[in-house]
Amino acid sequence: MPFRPRTALRGAALAAAAGLLCPTPAAAAPAGPGWSAAPAPAAGTASGPQDRPYFYLEGAPGTVMTDRLSLGNPTGRAVTVRLRGTGPWLALAAREVKVPPRTRASVPFTVTVPRDAAPGEHPGTLVATSGGRDGRRAAVPVHLRVTGPRLSALTVENVTVSGQGSAAVIRYTLVNRGNTVLSPRLALRADGVFGPVLRRPAHSLPARLRPGRRVDLTESWPDPPALDAVGVRLTVTAQGGAYGSATASYTPVGWGAVAGAALVLVLVLVAGAGGLVAVRRRRRAPVKGGPVTGGPGGRAGGERPPGTEKAEGTGQLAGSASGARA
């Protein structure tokens, strides 16, 4: 088709007129994901990517600290948000907030640290929820640190050993008695009557203990001894010089039953030996009124010993002589 300059100019003019009569529409803002909850930005600044991802508060015992939770609503309708705090010493200025469309609400809260609070970490959380079509839940961490001397301490408690045969289980409880977060390590040893039966070097445990927390843990013991009296010792260490140790005993077969059986066996042996001695004595003892089965010089029963007849004869002669004199 041949190019027609007049037609091209006429089309360009129509396009320019349309642009003047109908202005270009503004770019559509990306649809927001719904309302949000986050730490409020610093005073006089707008929210942005540099905002805090969580609250961090630090103070000495007896301190009262304040901060603000920001609730943003980019949608076209109002949203009602309910608030609550988990963790120690948190108090919100409002439990329920209605956020108008395309606005942001700021909710103050306070943290009152008791005078007898233990130094260390005391985590908490601010939780915001809404119902209806915009049902959402947001949790903002609150990292609170109480200043003061740091103490690392832990204990090992409730140590027991159960099971026998192919496997045994060692159960115990760890308690954080200090004011710092601990990552404990456990060393295990067991010694029997005839020497060591288990050696397990220190290894990290799958537990991170916060101050005041306790956790129940177990250690497997494959192939324990079938007959022994074993003493088991658990030693736990952690950063900051924390140390704890505890012991327990393990007897797969009751030593009372073993001792009882041994005693019965000893009594049977003693009784048998006593009976044998009695039988031998009976065989050696002379029978009353019967022959004496002695050596070559043995005499029949009732036979008088030599010299007895002579003594009796002398007595008889003495008696007859005295009678004659009378």
Side-chain angles (χ1 to χ4, degrees):
M1 177 182 294
F3 177 72
R4 296 180 181 179
R6 184 174 298 177
T7 303
L9 291 174
R10 184 180 301 173
L14 292 175
L20 293 174
L21 295 175
C22 301
T24 304
W35 64 266
S36 61
T45 62
S47 60
Q50 72 278 4
D51 289 349
R52 299 173 291 169
Y54 54 83
F55 293 101
Y56 180 80
L57 302 171
E58 180 176 329
T63 304
V64 178
M65 294 169 282
T66 62
D67 211 322
R68 295 174 298 121
L69 177 69
S70 179
L71 300 174
N73 179 17
T75 67
R77 54 184 176 274
V79 177
T80 300
V81 180
R82 291 178 294 275
L83 303 173
R84 62 184 178 90
T86 64
W89 319 316
L90 285 171
L92 288 155
R95 291 290 182 179
E96 186 173 289
V97 179
K98 186 174 183 179
V99 186
R102 303 182 185 87
T103 58
R104 183 176 295 272
S106 183
V107 182
F109 70 92
T110 61
V111 177
T112 304
V113 183
R115 294 187 179 278
D116 58 349
E121 307 295 331
H122 299 271
T125 307
L126 292 180
V127 181
T129 57
S130 67
R133 291 184 301 173
D134 295 319
R136 291 167 55 86
R137 181 182 183 276
V140 184
V142 179
H143 295 280
L144 171 62
R145 182 177 181 274
V146 179
T147 59
R150 298 174 65 87
L151 173 64
S152 298
L154 58 81
T155 57
V156 186
E157 303 175 3
N158 306 326
V159 181
T160 60
V161 185
S162 61
Q164 58 186 21
S166 61
V169 179
I170 303 171
R171 294 179 170 85
Y172 60 100
T173 303
L174 291 183
V175 185
N176 188 341
R177 300 293 184 181
N179 55 30
T180 62
V181 179
L182 299 177
S183 299
R185 293 170 58 84
L186 170 69
L188 178 63
R189 63 178 294 168
D191 296 288
V193 176
F194 306 104
V197 295
L198 178 64
R199 291 291 185 271
R200 193 168 294 174
H203 58 281
S204 298
L205 296 175
R208 192 167 183 265
L209 276 180
R210 296 188 178 278
R213 296 290 300 276
R214 63 174 54 229
V215 60
D216 297 325
L217 299 172
T218 61
E219 286 283 325
S220 62
W221 183 4
D223 300 325
L227 179 61
D228 204 345
V230 182
V232 180
R233 176 175 291 275
L234 283 71
T235 303
V236 181
T237 58
Q239 67 274 23
Y243 174 88
S245 181
T247 60
S249 60
Y250 174 64
T251 52
V253 177
W255 283 98
V258 175
L263 180 60
V264 171
L265 179 60
V266 170
L267 292 177
V268 170
L269 293 176
V270 170
L276 182 60
V277 171
V279 169
R280 289 183 177 179
R281 287 181 177 178
R282 287 178 182 177
R283 289 179 180 178
R284 293 178 180 178
V287 179
K288 186 175 182 180
V292 177
T293 58
R299 295 174 299 275
E303 183 178 354
R304 296 179 179 180
T308 306
E309 296 177 354
K310 182 178 181 181
E312 292 179 353
T314 305
Q316 292 176 1
L317 292 175
S320 58
S322 60
R325 290 177 183 177

